[in-house]
Amino acid sequence: MTQAVAQILSEVERLSHAEQSELRHRICERVPMLDDLTDEDFAALAAASFRALDEEETAGA
């Protein structure tokens, strides 16, 4: 992982859940999905999304 990516991830971790959710949506709007993602990549992304939704639901309950 490059230093730039590590710095961005560090900043993302400081965001609230709502801000992380907004960031996720904005990134998806701007970063094209390339053919370099594998089925395993998509499965990991889906699992992370479901975990984030569960956390949001738990925090809102």
Side-chain angles (χ1 to χ4, degrees):
M1 177 182 329
T2 66
Q3 184 176 6
V5 171
Q7 176 67 30
I8 291 168
L9 290 175
S10 176
E11 294 296 325
V12 168
E13 290 172 354
R14 294 183 187 140
L15 298 174
S16 69
H17 288 293
E19 291 169 323
Q20 288 180 8
S21 179
E22 180 181 355
L23 176 63
R24 193 169 34 250
H25 287 95
R26 302 293 178 220
I27 288 173
C28 288
E29 290 172 353
R30 288 174 175 78
V31 178
M33 296 299 269
L34 302 175
D35 293 336
D36 62 346
L37 294 176
T38 66
D39 287 343
E40 290 79 20
D41 293 329
F42 284 112
L45 289 168
S49 293
F50 284 120
R51 279 193 303 274
L53 290 171
D54 286 342
E55 289 174 5
E56 288 176 19
E57 187 176 280
T58 300

